[in-house]
């Protein structure tokens, strides 16, 4: 018995490794972290207006703005999902996420005590900044080439 035909990493084709590799490939083709931050922003915006604290007496933070907080939070959840599954609308979703994060300041107990506002604004701005990667590294000029060689090939005049 020889090990000449054995793979170098016998467990590299396991189900977990393949799922992790597939998830990594899927994650890199869309604004994943922006969508995650927008989804996480919905939690404090929805939760804190309905928060009940029981100490010696019951302190309820439920306000009339609870419905507005619920609408903002559910919209942020939808936008986070759209950023994951429809990355082409990243500009629209990013703008709306930033707008809703700022809008939640007066409506939802300071935007979930600023946590929801910061997460929504950060996720929205990340969505605005994200762009798809071009898969053509061959078209780019060689970075190792000196600039003087590129200028002389392009017909520019050298130092005389």
């Amino acid at each position: 018995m020889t090990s000449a035909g054995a793979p170098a990493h016998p467990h590299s084709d396991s189900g977990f490794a393949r799922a992790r590799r597939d998830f990594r490939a899927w994650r890199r083709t869309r604004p994943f972290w922006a969508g995650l931050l927008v989804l996480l922003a919905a939690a404090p915006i929805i939760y804190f207006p309905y928060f009940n604290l029981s100490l010696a007496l019951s302190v309820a933070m439920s306000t009339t703005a609870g419905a507005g907080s619920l609408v903002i939070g559910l919209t942020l959840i939808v936008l986070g999902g759209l950023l994951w599954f429809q990355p082409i609308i990243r500009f629209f979703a990013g703008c709306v996420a930033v707008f809703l994060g700022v809008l939640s300041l007066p409506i939802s107990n300071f935007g979930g005590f600023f946590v929801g506002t910061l997460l929504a604004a950060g996720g929205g701005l990340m969505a605005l900044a994200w762009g798809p990667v071009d898969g053509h590294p061959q078209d780019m000029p060689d970075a190792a080439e000196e600039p003087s060689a590129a200028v002389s090939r392009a017909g520019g005049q050298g130092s005389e």
Side-chain angles (χ1 to χ4, degrees):
M1 282 180 52
T2 64
S3 63
H9 302 287
H11 301 292
S12 65
D13 291 328
S14 68
F16 178 73
R18 184 173 46 252
R20 187 171 171 216
R21 186 176 52 243
D22 291 344
F23 175 70
R24 185 181 306 137
W26 176 82
R27 187 186 72 207
R28 290 181 178 172
T29 61
R30 58 203 70 243
F32 177 79
W33 295 110
L36 184 65
L37 287 179
V38 171
L39 281 171
L40 291 176
I45 290 174
I46 290 175
Y47 178 72
F48 286 125
Y50 298 104
F51 179 64
N52 290 325
L53 179 64
S54 297
L55 295 174
L57 42 115
S58 179
V59 178
M61 294 181 66
S62 298
T63 62
T64 57
S69 299
L70 188 63
V71 168
I72 290 173
L74 290 177
T75 306
L76 286 172
I77 290 172
V78 168
L79 289 174
L82 286 174
L83 283 172
W84 280 354
F85 299 111
Q86 295 292 328
I88 194 73
I89 64 161
R90 68 188 183 277
F91 188 78
F92 169 75
C95 289
V96 173
V98 171
F99 175 73
L100 289 177
V102 173
L103 184 66
S104 70
L105 282 171
I107 291 180
S108 175
N109 295 331
F110 297 110
F113 298 115
F114 298 109
V115 174
T117 297
L118 291 175
L119 288 172
L125 292 174
M126 285 175 69
L128 289 173
W130 182 85
V133 177
D134 292 334
H136 305 292
Q138 304 90 319
D139 297 341
M140 297 178 63
D142 189 17
E145 184 178 347
E146 291 185 24
S148 62
V151 170
S152 65
R153 259 192 303 138
Q157 295 182 358
S159 59
E160 295 178 22

